[in-house]
Amino acid sequence: MFTAHSPPRGVTRSSRCSCARCGGSSLVPARCRRAAAAAAAAPRAFREGSEQPPQPQQQLDAQFQAGQGSRLSRRGMAVTEKKAKLAPWRHDVGPLGAQEIDIRVTHNGLCHTDIHMRDDDWGVSKFPFIPGHEVVGVVVAVGSGVPKGGLQPGDRAGVGWISGSCRACAACLRGEENVCEAGYTGLIVNGHHGGFQDVCRVHADFAYKIPPALDSASAAPLLCAGITVYSPLRRHLTRPGMRVGVLGVGGLGHLALQYAAKMGADVTALDVAPDKESESRSLGAHQFVTWDTATAEKGLQGHFDLLLNCASAKIDAGQLMSLLKNNGTVVQVGIPGGQPLLAVPLQDLVFGQKKVAGTIVGGRADMQEMLQFSAINGVRPMLEVMPLSKVNEAMAHVASGKARYRVVLTSDWAEEEPEPGQQQQH
């Protein structure tokens, strides 16, 4: 199973909005989403928080001038040809662009998408390239055009799947770059390099401040898996007490359970494995039902207002829709392999006024809001942590389906001395 990464709102909140526009008078309504979009471009600075005390700026500058942030030659773990194992590789970067930033990478989430890109399953990989699109680290350099109120050296920042868009269409102006009318740019498509390197260069507008209450290891998977389930809940969970089903308690589903519960829904976890009941309830599910029981003759037909399908297997659309109330919505979050088609029973669709929707990651407005929501409400992924040097073993672990629930890779590059006469970035 993989999450679809190709060219995708009033919800009641459990915590009040903190933006200056509404002064805390609203529960993060749609009118505050524009403020969230603006914050994504030039948000308030956060520091490393509880992970480690902030270092003096002079010390950070000295480390940058002498360390890996200053190099025009970058080290990474790259795929040099289709389906090849990742191997150490160097690439050169030019001068820092006015709107770009350099991030010294500390953590990477590992997603099925990195594996599909390695194998060029979608025909958009250009070799060699460096995977990694759930990237967290510390800013070491900013371009001359990055606003002073935006990201600065020493700030923790994260980067997700989207690294660029037209920024001019109606969707982009709403902060919904994930449905950019011209199509967005993926961080690691067509030869672009992601986070499996020592220093990652990205456009500042698509890098996000990590709140101090959110540790870097937890933040990394939220930048793809988290936003993938947060966005559809943000759109379709329109009132408290809605009956929400999450099918597939895995890398995506275990986060969806937490978000739905924190948004005030009546949450049911659905899975083929009965041994996931205890974990599902600990993550916020009010009920746990096996898929066989839910779809039995006297199952949960007509039960849900909203059903998120996060499962990895191909599932009959008629079964999914049968679990919906009239006016209910089923959201297809992932896409099983093999380019499957969805056969929708029109009688049920029409007479039940039901809806079938898709979703694709999230734009800048949702991304910054999701990080804040996660920090405030304690939404955290369940993690397995491995060093980046073990990335091939980690990919095999994920591909085998043995990961439970997300894998995070920590950077373990050996320190290097600057090369004599090496050019410095300013």
Side-chain angles (χ1 to χ4, degrees):
M1 174 263 182
F2 62 91
T3 304
H5 294 307
S6 57
R9 221 179 233 291
V11 176
T12 301
R13 285 285 183 263
S14 60
S15 59
R16 290 190 175 271
C17 177
S18 59
C19 79
R21 180 166 297 186
C22 73
S25 62
S26 62
L27 296 173
V28 193
R31 59 179 175 157
C32 291
R33 295 177 60 75
R34 303 293 72 73
R44 192 183 316 162
F46 291 109
R47 295 294 172 181
E48 190 71 11
S50 59
E51 291 190 40
Q52 62 183 51
Q55 302 181 54
Q57 187 61 52
Q58 296 86 345
Q59 185 177 350
L60 287 168
D61 290 342
Q63 290 175 350
F64 168 63
Q65 293 298 329
Q68 54 192 347
S70 64
R71 293 192 178 89
L72 293 179
S73 178
R74 302 286 165 81
R75 298 173 292 173
M77 295 295 290
V79 188
T80 57
E81 61 183 1
K82 184 175 180 177
K83 296 187 177 181
K85 288 187 176 182
L86 276 65
W89 182 73
R90 284 188 179 272
H91 70 106
D92 295 331
V93 296
L96 190 67
Q99 302 296 328
E100 293 179 325
I101 64 171
D102 278 345
I103 299 173
R104 176 173 55 79
V105 181
T106 60
H107 297 77
N108 278 282
L110 178 57
C111 178
H112 280 275
T113 295
D114 294 307
I115 299 170
H116 287 286
M117 290 294 295
R118 178 199 65 186
D119 297 344
D120 197 22
D121 289 338
W122 307 332
V124 294
S125 301
K126 182 179 178 181
F127 303 99
F129 78 96
I130 297 172
H133 63 279
E134 297 178 341
V135 189
V136 174
V138 179
V139 177
V140 292
V142 299
S144 59
V146 177
K148 293 297 182 183
L151 289 162
Q152 297 300 316
D155 290 335
R156 276 193 310 153
V159 183
W161 175 252
I162 299 177
S163 63
S165 70
C166 79
R167 309 301 304 284
C169 69
C172 286
L173 294 177
R174 293 193 303 268
E176 296 178 350
E177 292 82 1
N178 54 319
V179 286
C180 171
E181 294 174 11
Y184 62 72
T185 302
L187 181 62
I188 58 174
V189 302
N190 295 322
H192 296 293
H193 301 308
F196 294 177
Q197 57 181 319
D198 53 0
V199 178
C200 184
R201 179 170 292 180
V202 296
H203 195 292
D205 283 353
F206 291 90
Y208 307 91
K209 294 287 182 68
I210 304 299
L214 191 59
D215 66 280
S216 295
S218 294
L222 299 181
L223 296 164
C224 178
I227 192 64
T228 295
V229 293
Y230 179 88
S231 288
L233 288 169
R234 187 71 173 86
R235 284 195 301 276
H236 299 290
L237 208 170
T238 56
R239 63 185 186 277
M242 286 180 65
R243 288 182 175 178
V244 174
V246 175
L247 173 57
V249 184
L252 297 175
H254 89 288
L255 291 169
L257 291 175
Q258 296 180 66
Y259 285 125
K262 296 297 183 180
M263 290 178 182
D266 180 357
V267 185
T268 300
L270 302 163
D271 201 280
V272 296
D275 64 346
K276 291 188 177 180
E277 178 171 2
S278 178
E279 284 180 335
S280 297
R281 291 185 181 276
S282 72
L283 292 166
H286 301 97
Q287 299 87 29
F288 178 91
V289 182
T290 62
W291 181 243
D292 287 342
T293 300
T295 55
E297 184 176 352
K298 295 183 179 180
L300 295 180
Q301 288 77 18
H303 183 80
F304 296 110
D305 298 294
L306 175 63
L307 178 60
L308 265 63
N309 182 15
C310 304
S312 58
K314 182 179 178 180
I315 297 176
D316 181 77
Q319 286 186 311
L320 293 170
M321 292 179 62
S322 72
L323 303 185
L324 296 177
K325 294 180 179 180
N326 291 341
N327 291 317
T329 302
V330 59
V331 179
Q332 189 67 34
V333 177
I335 304 177
Q339 298 182 333
L341 300 177
L342 192 67
V344 176
L346 290 180
Q347 292 286 106
D348 198 13
L349 181 77
V350 172
F351 287 99
Q353 295 190 162
K354 298 178 181 180
K355 297 175 283 293
V356 178
T359 189
I360 176 68
V361 288
R364 296 192 308 145
D366 272 350
M367 183 72 90
Q368 195 69 58
E369 182 184 283
M370 178 273 298
L371 290 170
Q372 293 284 5
F373 185 90
S374 301
I376 292 169
N377 291 284
V379 176
R380 300 291 186 274
M382 298 178 72
L383 301 176
E384 297 179 55
V385 181
M386 303 174 68
L388 180 61
S389 57
K390 299 292 185 182
V391 62
N392 289 306
E393 292 90 331
M395 282 187 160
H397 182 60
V398 171
S400 69
K402 296 178 181 178
R404 192 167 176 171
Y405 288 94
R406 305 296 299 186
V407 170
V408 169
L409 304 171
T410 56
S411 296
D412 57 345
W413 298 103
E415 290 298 323
E416 292 186 336
E417 294 297 327
E419 299 173 10
Q422 190 172 46
Q423 181 180 352
Q424 302 291 303
Q425 294 177 9
H426 298 283

